[in-house]
Amino acid sequence: MGAFEGEYMSDRDHLTYSREVMTRKYAETYRKREELKLPKRCGAIGDAAFRDNIRIERLALENGLRRIGKDGFRHSVALREARLPESVEKIGDGCFADCPRLKETYIPKRLEKIPSGAFKEDRRLSKVTFADDSVLSRIGKDAFSECVELKEILLPPKVTEIEDRAFYRCKDLKSVHFPEGLKRIGREAFYFCSMETLELPESVEILDEKAFFKCTWLTEVCLPVHIRRIEKWVFHGCSRLKVLEIRHDPEYIGEWIINRAARIRCYQGSKVDKYCQESGFTVEYIDGE
């Protein structure tokens, strides 16, 4: 199976460098344990090393482990908690995806990105905790897609991008703290989530296509003035949305950003006003200026 390029040299079946890599072959030794403890010399867990495991319930991984490969613990059906040591710097795509009993995870301080599909379809995941001094800057595509019991998320202060479908169909997600410094919210990032209020930081510049599509509990949204692009259908399908307030003129506004029943609050004579007239949206003018 694959491991991490540059971290080891192959000597027949034995993989060594400065730290050893736990490949799927050697992981067989540990596959029947309920608590996973690895040797201190283990610096990396290879691709799919513990995939489809039926016994491991919790991880007791020590500092010194730096990386976990693609699909490292995918479909580990008994895994309930994934607390990663502070030394972990990288985890692979789908690392903890499709773990039906996983309830909580701890993201260590050195991890810079949660990769594509890392926790996808972990339907019982309800608690995600980040290290206080986290350097995390990106939430990858489908990272928490369809984590249907996740109710809140407090994103670390250095996150600048939430990629496509990151929280897609997290239907119980009601509370999201967006950090100041966030620049982009990707396509369908919060599709069919349950936020009742939306407080976006002033740093946001791009709301990609369908970013908040079918967030049916939103009733009123005021957009930050530094947003440059509002792509199509951003708030479409938000059936309870009454007002979308846009107090500036973005560079681009896509089609059908709201339902016809909602209205857009803006300044009279602005580019947003013209957009509403051309699109047939109801307008409510802001007093003054």
Side-chain angles (χ1 to χ4, degrees):
M1 300 300 296
F4 300 103
E5 184 178 352
E7 288 200 357
Y8 65 87
M9 298 175 63
S10 178
D11 179 14
R12 295 185 180 179
D13 291 332
H14 190 51
L15 302 176
T16 65
Y17 191 65
S18 58
R19 307 288 287 182
E20 292 187 5
V21 177
M22 178 63 64
T23 64
R24 188 171 176 84
K25 175 180 177 180
Y26 295 111
E28 289 292 331
T29 306
Y30 302 88
R31 287 176 68 85
K32 294 183 180 181
R33 301 183 184 184
E34 292 183 357
E35 182 176 75
L36 180 62
K37 293 182 179 181
L38 299 179
K40 291 184 178 181
R41 65 180 183 275
C42 182
I45 295 173
D47 293 353
F50 294 95
R51 180 170 183 163
D52 300 321
N53 184 274
I54 62 173
R55 294 292 300 276
I56 296 172
E57 294 184 5
R58 54 196 174 276
L59 308 181
L61 304 175
E62 297 192 34
N63 273 323
L65 182 72
R66 296 192 304 275
R67 300 190 179 189
I68 303 175
K70 179 180 179 181
D71 298 331
F73 292 89
R74 179 185 285 273
H75 197 233
S76 291
V77 297
L79 187 64
R80 298 175 183 273
E81 180 182 354
R83 184 175 180 87
L84 303 180
E86 296 296 349
S87 55
V88 170
E89 300 171 351
K90 183 177 181 179
I91 61 176
D93 294 352
C95 187
F96 293 98
D98 192 22
C99 293
R101 290 182 174 83
L102 184 64
K103 293 184 176 182
E104 59 181 280
T105 186
Y106 171 77
I107 307 299
K109 60 185 179 183
R110 296 183 183 180
L111 198 68
E112 294 183 1
K113 178 182 179 180
I114 298 178
S116 177
F119 297 91
K120 185 177 181 180
E121 295 187 24
D122 289 344
R123 297 183 179 277
R124 293 190 183 178
L125 183 65
S126 59
K127 184 177 181 181
V128 179
T129 305
F130 299 92
D132 291 338
D133 49 355
S134 171
V135 299
L136 190 76
S137 62
R138 294 167 66 192
I139 310 292
K141 293 180 180 180
D142 289 299
F144 295 96
S145 177
E146 299 193 60
C147 292
V148 296
E149 292 193 8
L150 187 63
K151 291 178 171 57
E152 63 179 346
I153 193 84
L154 179 63
L155 296 174
K158 294 186 178 181
V159 171
T160 59
E161 183 172 3
I162 300 171
E163 296 185 5
D164 300 351
R165 300 180 304 279
F167 295 92
Y168 178 87
R169 295 186 69 86
C170 290
K171 65 179 185 178
D172 278 355
L173 185 59
K174 295 181 178 181
S175 176
V176 181
H177 171 74
F178 297 97
E180 188 62 47
L182 180 67
K183 298 292 187 182
R184 173 181 176 265
I185 298 177
R187 183 176 184 269
E188 298 182 341
F190 292 92
Y191 183 114
F192 199 53
C193 292
S194 295
M195 297 90 75
E196 296 180 8
T197 60
L198 190 61
E199 296 183 12
L200 298 174
E202 290 298 322
S203 56
V204 173
E205 297 179 358
I206 298 172
L207 298 180
D208 219 327
E209 181 180 329
K210 295 184 179 180
F212 296 95
F213 190 83
K214 288 190 177 181
C215 289
T216 58
W217 291 98
L218 288 174
T219 57
E220 185 167 341
V221 175
C222 181
L223 296 184
V225 298
H226 292 102
I227 291 180
R228 297 184 293 105
R229 297 185 66 86
I230 305 172
E231 300 292 343
K232 66 181 181 179
W233 302 341
V234 167
F235 294 100
H236 198 73
C238 298
S239 56
R240 291 180 176 84
L241 186 68
K242 296 178 179 179
V243 178
L244 174 63
E245 185 169 307
I246 307 175
R247 305 177 68 91
H248 70 297
D249 285 326
E251 295 174 7
Y252 175 81
I253 306 177
E255 60 186 17
W256 291 105
I257 59 172
I258 58 173
N259 285 8
R260 184 73 72 185
R263 62 187 183 276
I264 292 179
R265 184 183 294 152
C266 65
Y267 290 112
Q268 188 172 12
S270 64
K271 292 180 181 179
V272 177
D273 184 11
K274 182 179 179 182
Y275 165 83
C276 293
Q277 304 301 331
E278 292 175 349
S279 303
F281 289 126
T282 301
V283 182
E284 176 183 317
Y285 293 124
I286 300 171
D287 293 335
E289 295 190 30

